[in-house]
Amino acid sequence: MPQDRVEKALREVLGTVRAELVVTSQEGAADLAVLARRASRVAGWLHSVSANSMDVLRGEPHVALATSRFVAGRAQPRAQTQPVVFYPPFAPAGGNEHLFAAGHGRDGHPAGGVLMVNPIPVKGAALLHQLIHRLPGHRFPLVEGWWDTAREFIGYPNVHWVPRTCAMGPICAANDLLLVPSQVEGAFPQVIVEAGLHGVATVGSSRGGIPEAVGDGGVILHPDDVDAWVRAIESADRPGLGTKARSGTVPLVRPCLPELAAAGLIPAAAVG
């Protein structure tokens, strides 16, 4: 429904239904938390360290679900709010990998592509241009993200542009290194986990929650050190790091109800 009707609708629902839990985030979340906490438990979901995300804390939800330890560390909840690290849930890798021969991509060439998703300025497009130019022997599949920047990259002979898609499984399966050269403090980039579940290692920037998402499954570098990024792409132990990436991300494929029960957000009986 239109956002300007959400508060009224929530008030009507809470007047007729006993809600065990109300979860809210984004614009207007603080007001919704104030309204909902009169009748039920309330969780504010902190999806990033932006002011928009953190504003829900003004409404004093019972629990603040932080999408990473990095986000939890930036939060400043009031005494009435319990911060809880709650990583995003993920589905198992699978679905379309049968489209690719083992160790090969769609075009039949050996796997080894250097994948990047959302090549826009704040995500490190300037560094990406330099890497593509300096590593002409490497394939760079680029997946459209927030907006279409194809015109900036399709002139390179070693770039393959992929229009925006939710079917990342086949794309990850056809490559063995992910670039996350973000200039901004990502909370916990889900693409790192999605790639890791397919055994794809990450070379990521040292910003925000990126190192937390990468763990042992990749290499962390300063986003301005171009030479270090070139060396990492050329020398990273992709199979070894890919194995570690898979091991580190598999635990994130899990039932989440036990975590919510442990945080006191839902009754233990609801876990089943």
Side-chain angles (χ1 to χ4, degrees):
M1 65 178 62
Q3 188 167 335
D4 59 5
R5 292 173 52 195
V6 170
E7 186 171 342
K8 178 182 177 183
L10 177 61
R11 183 177 284 106
E12 292 173 352
V13 169
L14 294 177
T16 59
V17 175
R18 183 180 180 278
E20 293 282 0
L21 175 65
V22 174
V23 183
T24 182
S25 66
Q26 299 282 44
E27 296 86 355
D31 294 335
L32 297 179
V34 171
L35 170 62
R37 65 175 288 130
R38 300 169 188 164
S40 67
R41 296 281 289 169
V42 179
W45 201 319
L46 307 180
H47 62 86
S48 74
V49 294
S50 68
N52 183 41
S53 174
M54 293 292 180
D55 188 59
V56 69
L57 297 175
R58 252 191 334 107
E60 300 184 2
H62 297 95
V63 171
L65 295 174
T67 199
S68 65
R69 293 193 305 272
F70 163 69
V71 172
R74 285 293 185 84
Q76 296 182 329
R78 300 180 185 180
Q80 299 89 332
T81 300
Q82 173 193 3
V84 173
V85 175
F86 184 72
Y87 292 112
F90 291 85
N96 295 314
E97 283 74 11
H98 63 280
L99 296 175
F100 302 88
H104 291 74
R106 186 188 300 275
D107 55 6
H109 296 300
V114 182
L115 173 67
M116 182 174 171
V117 179
N118 200 12
I120 63 174
V122 296
K123 298 296 186 179
L127 173 60
L128 177 62
H129 276 288
Q130 296 183 70
L131 297 176
I132 293 169
H133 178 73
R134 291 182 56 174
L135 296 167
H138 290 259
R139 296 185 297 113
F140 286 85
L142 308 181
V143 182
E144 178 186 346
W146 293 350
W147 61 82
D148 186 355
T149 54
R151 221 184 268 183
E152 299 179 24
F153 294 100
I154 57 177
Y156 293 109
N158 55 336
V159 163
H160 174 63
W161 184 263
V162 181
R164 185 183 294 114
T165 178
C166 292
M168 288 299 298
I171 296 171
C172 290
N175 298 282
D176 61 7
L177 194 65
L178 173 72
L179 296 185
V180 184
S182 183
Q183 296 287 322
V184 295
E185 295 182 317
F188 189 79
Q190 295 188 36
V191 66
I192 295 173
V193 178
E194 292 167 349
L197 290 170
H198 288 85
V200 177
T202 295
V203 179
S205 97
S206 53
R207 302 277 194 224
I210 294 173
E212 185 177 347
V214 172
D216 295 329
V219 179
I220 299 299
L221 301 169
H222 192 282
D224 296 332
D225 191 345
V226 182
D227 291 339
W229 284 77
V230 170
R231 289 193 297 270
I233 292 171
E234 291 182 318
S235 64
D237 175 13
R238 300 188 189 188
L241 290 173
T243 298
K244 292 180 179 179
R246 184 183 287 111
S247 298
T249 53
V250 164
L252 295 175
V253 179
R254 84 283 188 197
C256 294
L257 293 183
E259 293 177 39
L260 297 178
L265 281 173
I266 60 173
V271 175

